[in-house]
Amino acid sequence: MTARSIAASGAAAIAALVVSLPLGAQQRSDAGASRPASVQPSKFTRAPMIQAPPSGEVEILPIRGHVYALFGAGANIVVSVGNDGVLLVDAGRAEMSDKVLAAVQRLQREWVVRNEPPSSGFGAETRSSVADRHITAPPKPIRYVINTSADSDHVGGNEKLRNAGHTFTGGNVAGNIADASEGAAILAHENVLSRMAHGEGQPPLPADALPTDAYFVDFYKLSHYFNGEGIQLFHMPKAHTDGDSIVQFRGSDVIALGDLMSTGSYPVIDVAKGGTINGVLDGLNRVLDMSIAEFRLEGGTLMVPGHGRLVDSADVAYYRDMLTIIRDRVEDSIKKGRTLEQVKAANPSGDYDTEYGSTTGPWTTANFIEAVYKTLGGVRLKPDTTGSRLKPDTTGGKPPAPAKRR
Ligand SMILES: [Zn+2]
C-alpha cells in the first residue's frame, strides 16, 4: 500500500465514521483529515472527534450559534460568547485555568472582530470617521460561571475565571452589591455550595471560588435573555451527586449535561455525596424529554456530557438503555438475595465493558457495580448460608421492620 492509498483509506474510514455526527462535529473532523496522525480513531467503536486534545491543551468546538465547547481542561466546558458577555458551564481543573481563560479570550476577540461595524467608505470631512478608524469595543466580560457539581475538575477554575469577569448588578443577580463589581457570578445548586464551603473531600477553597448564587428548587433560570436566548438550570436530584445541574440553552438547543453522562465510561455515581443509579436514569430520561431530534433520532438538540464527546438524543438514549439493562440485572440479583461479591462475579455489565468499563483509574467497573448495588438497596455483604443457595430476599434489600408489640 502506498502512503497515498493509506491516507485515502484512512480518510474513507473517517468519512464513514462521521457520517452520523452533527454538522459541527463533521466540520471539525473534516478539518483534521489532512492530519491523519491526530484523527485516526484508536478503535472503531469511537468516532474520530472523540479523540481528546493533546494532554495539557484546550480545544474549542463551535456547537451552534453563540455556544461553544472547550475540551481538555478537566471536565468539558460549555461557553456562550456574545453581545452580553461570556457565560461558562463548569470551569475545568485549577491548573488549566490559564489555558481556559486564553481560549475564552480568543472567542471574545473573534466575536468582536466578527461584529465590528463595517467601514462606511465615506470620505467627506463632515462625516464622523469613528467607524473608519476601526475603534472596537473591548471584549465583553465573563459574567456567569455555572457549576454542574462540586468536583474539582468542574470547579477548579472558578477563582481565576470569576476574577477575570464582571457582574452587572440588577437582573436576577442576587449577590452582595458591594462585591458585585469584583467578578463574575458563580451559580450552582445549594448542595454544591455547602459541599464546597465545607471543603468535603477537597482542599479548602478560597472564598472567591465559591458559588455566589445558589438555588434550592427544581430549576433556576436567568431572568432575561443572555446572548439572545434563555438559559435555564435544572436540578438532577440524586444522580451523580445530590447537587447536579444540567444547563439548557433554549435558543441554540444545546444542553450541558454535567456528570450525568460520560461517553467513555459508566457514570460516576458518588454514593457518599448522594448519587444513585435511579437518579442518573431519571436525569437521562428528563434530558430525552427535553430534547428533540432533527431526523430519526439524529441531530437536533445537541448535548455536551461532563466528559467525552458531543452527543445527540440517539447517544443519550443508547446510554440510558445500557444503564437500564445493567440496573435491572443488578436489581434482579438483589431480589434473589445475592451478595455484592456474587453480583460482581456474575458480571452484569459484561457486554458493555469494552466500551465503558475500566479496571484501572479512579472509576472502575467494580466501583460502578458496587454503586449500583448499594443504591438499589443491596446490603448483603456475606452469602446467605442459612438455607437454599438462592433464598429470595423479600425485603428488597432493606433490613426487616421490627415486629410490632401487642
Ligand atoms: Zn466530572
Side-chain angles (χ1 to χ4, degrees):
M1 226 185 206
T2 65
R4 207 168 154 190
S5 67
I6 290 169
S9 65
I14 290 162
L17 280 164
V18 299
V19 78
S20 66
L21 295 173
L23 185 59
Q26 284 203 30
Q27 283 170 341
R28 187 157 159 273
S29 302
D30 293 344
S34 59
R35 298 179 284 116
S38 63
V39 295
Q40 287 288 357
S42 53
K43 287 182 190 171
F44 279 90
T45 51
R46 314 248 165 127
M49 64 159 298
I50 307 170
Q51 297 262 312
S55 178
E57 294 304 319
V58 171
E59 199 164 330
I60 301 170
L61 173 68
I63 301 180
R64 192 183 278 144
H66 297 264
V67 182
Y68 302 78
L70 305 184
F71 297 107
N76 293 335
I77 298 173
V78 179
V79 194
S80 169
V81 179
N83 270 341
D84 294 321
V86 176
L87 176 147
L88 294 110
V89 181
D90 283 329
R93 293 199 307 271
E95 65 270 25
M96 290 300 289
S97 45
D98 283 331
K99 295 214 167 154
V100 171
L101 198 52
V104 168
Q105 284 166 346
R106 188 179 141 193
L107 290 171
Q108 288 171 302
R109 281 195 303 273
E110 284 174 6
W111 173 260
V112 168
V113 169
R114 267 207 309 280
N115 291 277
E116 208 174 323
S119 164
S120 64
F122 198 85
E125 288 169 15
T126 51
R127 190 181 168 93
S128 163
S129 60
V130 168
D132 291 341
R133 278 190 256 137
H134 290 277
I135 296 171
T136 51
K140 299 289 173 66
I142 297 172
R143 287 181 54 194
Y144 298 101
V145 178
I146 296 170
N147 291 149
T148 61
S149 78
D151 292 359
S152 60
D153 56 339
H154 294 245
V155 305
N158 273 11
E159 188 183 13
K160 186 152 264 173
L161 294 168
R162 168 173 156 78
N163 289 332
H166 188 91
T167 301
F168 295 92
T169 53
N172 65 348
V173 177
N176 180 347
I177 303 280
D179 70 17
S181 66
E182 289 178 9
I186 303 178
L187 314 179
H189 187 267
E190 68 169 358
N191 291 344
V192 170
L193 171 61
S194 62
R195 193 152 281 135
M196 288 171 72
H198 294 112
E200 270 178 47
Q202 300 187 44
L205 293 161
D208 280 358
L210 300 180
T212 57
D213 297 79
Y215 72 103
F216 56 89
V217 287
D218 293 343
F219 70 90
Y220 179 95
K221 57 186 176 185
L222 299 192
S223 62
H224 43 214
Y225 269 23
F226 187 82
N227 292 338
E229 64 183 325
I231 298 175
Q232 211 165 354
L233 287 71
F234 294 91
H235 181 215
M236 299 283 116
K238 299 178 189 169
H240 157 61
T241 68
D242 57 12
D244 306 327
S245 298
I246 62 170
V247 182
Q248 185 183 29
F249 295 83
R250 291 172 38 150
S252 304
D253 202 6
V254 172
I255 308 174
L257 300 181
D259 279 358
L260 198 57
M261 179 169 175
S262 162
T263 57
S265 75
Y266 295 117
V268 177
I269 300 169
D270 196 334
V271 180
K273 292 179 183 168
T276 67
I277 179 65
N278 281 332
V280 170
L281 284 168
D282 289 346
L284 292 169
N285 280 320
R286 179 105 186 253
V287 168
L288 287 170
D289 287 345
M290 289 162 67
S291 60
I292 298 176
E294 192 173 337
F295 182 68
R296 292 185 181 165
L297 270 186
E298 301 285 354
T301 307
L302 296 175
M303 286 147 281
V304 182
H307 303 268
R309 64 177 173 87
L310 187 69
V311 297
D312 61 14
S313 16
D315 297 303
V316 176
Y318 180 84
Y319 199 74
R320 185 270 319 263
D321 292 348
M322 174 274 290
L323 291 177
T324 306
I325 289 166
I326 296 172
R327 189 270 314 265
D328 288 353
R329 288 171 181 167
V330 174
E331 197 165 45
D332 187 52
S333 299
I334 290 172
K335 282 184 187 154
K336 288 174 176 161
R338 296 198 179 140
T339 67
L340 175 59
E341 289 315 314
Q342 286 170 328
V343 170
K344 279 184 185 168
N347 200 9
S349 63
D351 37 359
Y352 293 105
D353 284 350
T354 48
E355 196 165 357
Y356 302 105
S358 170
T359 52
T360 57
W363 189 246
T364 62
T365 305
N367 294 146
F368 168 67
I369 296 299
E370 187 168 338
V372 173
Y373 183 83
K374 281 186 177 164
T375 64
L376 288 173
V379 291
R380 284 171 188 270
L381 298 174
K382 290 193 180 127
D384 181 3
T385 52
T386 56
S388 80
R389 198 161 51 87
L390 293 182
K391 190 175 174 184
D393 179 356
T394 52
T395 64
K398 295 187 198 79
K404 277 187 186 161
R405 282 195 192 172
R406 293 177 185 253

